[in-house]
Amino acid sequence: MMAGCNRALIVSVSSFYPGVQLSARPGAERDTRILHRALHTRGYRTRILTDPDAQDIYTAFHTESKQVTDGCFIGVISSHGEEGVVFGADGRPVQLSKIYSYFSGPNMAGKNKLFLIQACRGHLLDDGVEVEADSVGCEDEGLSEYSSVPINTVVMHATAPGYAAFMNWAGSIFLQTFCKLLNDGGTDLEVTCLLTRISYHIAHHFSARGGNLQGKKEMPCFISRLTREFYPFRDHQKNRGFRLSATELLDESYSTRKNSIS
């Protein structure tokens, strides 16, 4: 069998079909550009799917689940959403549990999988309450999703169950923080440590601005079904000649922009 490589699929919906009652998401294009550079320069063969309908999203992930992969697959979905679903450009729902199920087959059974979901999971807004906690996971609120996640898979959401996720014209704090931390030494981290740092950074350094969103917070959380340590970027720092970094693209502070619901 032909040797594989680490693979990534970025699904980004920034515009919806005429008549679909979902607002445009212009910041998704910038997120996609930054993510592609962050993953490509670290050895991932990265495919981008822009403004697909729901069936296209299912087809793309099903196809990726059949590809020859070295050790890791990363899937990113950025769109409007509700709990358990995201929406295609046609406004039809895509069940996340069905996407995950594609990666439970024998071709991906021994591979590590990471999914990043930039989408709302409801309409609640987080006022930001200081609490003590032992974990940034969200298993208690998402047991049904947990059961659909394959072994050796981590799923990270931009926000907690029931809550909105934020995006402005420059992109999302969730996906851009992910890229920024990769450029700031995160490539050496085990994946759950990397995701915990993302949660900490957003929880402590981000507040929305603008109208009724002023001061609202976002708290990412993740579900892990790993059975071993997983370093998705440590051994794949390739193409070092690529000069434009995600950190350079994050040159404008989020604190100066008005945010909207993702």
Side-chain angles (χ1 to χ4, degrees):
M1 181 178 291
M2 182 171 53
C5 59
N6 285 340
R7 301 181 66 90
L9 172 62
I10 301 171
V11 172
S12 176
V13 184
S14 60
S15 299
F16 295 84
Y17 292 179
V20 174
Q21 299 300 306
L22 293 169
S23 60
R25 307 171 65 251
E29 297 175 359
R30 191 167 189 261
D31 279 350
T32 298
R33 188 169 69 250
I34 294 172
L35 273 166
H36 178 264
R37 290 182 172 121
L39 296 173
H40 176 71
T41 58
R42 289 166 178 87
Y44 282 79
R45 180 173 293 176
T46 305
R47 178 186 174 193
I48 297 172
L49 194 61
T50 303
D51 295 343
D53 62 29
Q55 187 55 53
D56 288 339
I57 295 174
Y58 283 130
T59 299
F61 278 102
H62 185 264
T63 299
E64 283 296 326
S65 73
K66 303 301 183 182
Q67 299 299 314
V68 178
T69 303
D70 183 11
C72 177
F73 171 79
I74 296 178
V76 183
I77 304 177
S78 177
S79 185
H80 287 298
E82 294 283 355
E83 182 59 41
V85 305
V86 295
F87 295 103
D90 56 354
R92 298 177 67 87
V94 174
Q95 298 289 333
L96 292 174
S97 59
K98 186 174 180 178
I99 297 295
Y100 305 148
S101 71
Y102 296 149
F103 294 83
S104 61
N107 187 59
M108 283 286 181
K111 312 300 182 182
N112 294 314
K113 285 82 67 177
L114 170 63
F115 291 91
L116 304 174
I117 313 296
Q118 169 59 41
C120 291
R121 305 177 73 185
H123 303 285
L124 297 175
L125 297 175
D126 190 345
D127 292 319
V129 178
E130 197 73 31
V131 297
E132 293 185 2
D134 297 324
S135 171
V136 295
C138 51
E139 289 88 344
D140 290 343
E141 297 88 349
L143 289 175
S144 60
E145 181 181 9
Y146 181 82
S147 65
S148 72
V149 174
I151 296 298
N152 293 321
T153 301
V154 183
V155 178
M156 189 172 201
H157 290 271
T159 191
Y163 283 85
F166 293 106
M167 172 176 283
N168 58 38
W169 61 267
S172 66
I173 186 65
F174 172 56
L175 294 178
Q176 293 195 25
T177 298
F178 171 79
C179 295
K180 182 179 187 301
L181 291 184
L182 291 185
N183 283 272
D184 291 345
T187 52
D188 292 326
L189 295 175
E190 197 275 333
V191 68
T192 57
C193 293
L194 173 63
L195 301 185
T196 299
R197 289 196 185 185
I198 293 170
S199 293
Y200 176 88
H201 182 90
I202 295 174
H204 290 273
H205 299 291
F206 169 78
S207 292
R209 285 180 174 266
N212 65 335
L213 301 180
Q214 181 71 32
K216 302 301 182 181
K217 305 289 287 184
E218 182 171 297
M219 184 63 211
C221 63
F222 64 85
I223 294 169
S224 172
R225 296 201 71 194
L226 293 178
T227 61
R228 59 198 176 214
E229 290 188 341
F230 167 26
Y231 294 84
F233 303 106
R234 186 173 61 180
D235 299 324
H236 302 279
Q237 298 183 48
K238 299 178 181 178
N239 301 327
R240 292 180 181 274
F242 206 98
R243 297 299 183 187
L244 186 59
S245 71
T247 303
E248 291 169 335
L249 287 168
L250 284 166
D251 53 353
E252 298 174 276
S253 171
Y254 266 83
S255 64
T256 64
R257 298 193 184 92
K258 293 184 178 180
N259 294 89
S260 61
I261 302 302
S262 176

